[in-house]
Amino acid sequence: FGFFGLDILVIWWAFRINFRRARATEEIWITPSELRVRRVSHRGHVVEWVLNPLWVQLDQKTDPEFGIEQLHLVSRGRRVAIASFLGPDEKASFAKALSAALQAAERRRLKAERDRQTQDAEDAAEADESGSAEEKTTFSFNMTGERREPQQ
């Protein structure tokens, strides 16, 4: 019975570390003008990257036996690892959803540019004076790769 208390203490300590590390989050927001990756460690440290979605490529390292092992966002020599906490199947689902969101952001941006080009100078000047903002659609992905609506 001498080690029984020590065993319980070690198990409690392991669960505590596990629960603390589960607080780590990674979120990705995509608008037509920016892609933002925000990572919060289990200790609360925040790291954020802002990239132009038109220049971003999704790079996948795939193993034939296990599937997707690593996902990276690559833009202008910058390489940001994402979704490292997901399994291969979850990474595949996440990569598909992220690619669709990047394509949607690019379509919206191209449409907005075409619309701006077709407006005459007077309408453009009036819109600038009124302070109209560009249409923003934000995509956010949680740690399981599920798409969710942004929090306002």
Side-chain angles (χ1 to χ4, degrees), residues 85-86 90-91 93-94 141-147:
F85 44 81
L86 297 177
E90 293 168 323
K91 284 181 186 171
S93 173
F94 182 78
F141 296 90
N142 66 15
M143 292 183 69
T144 61
E146 297 171 346
R147 183 176 160 193

Side-chain angles (χ1 to χ4, degrees), residues 6 36-37:
L6 184 60
R36 184 176 299 266
V37 178

Side-chain angles (χ1 to χ4, degrees), residues 68-110:
I68 297 175
E69 291 182 335
Q70 296 178 353
L71 289 174
H72 290 92
L73 295 173
V74 182
S75 178
R76 298 186 175 195
R78 198 183 219 179
R79 191 173 182 83
V80 178
I82 58 170
S84 59
F85 44 81
L86 297 177
D89 293 338
E90 293 168 323
K91 284 181 186 171
S93 173
F94 182 78
K96 184 178 176 182
L98 184 59
S99 293
L102 284 168
Q103 291 171 356
E106 184 175 357
R107 282 193 305 271
R108 283 196 171 95
R109 180 143 182 192
L110 293 174

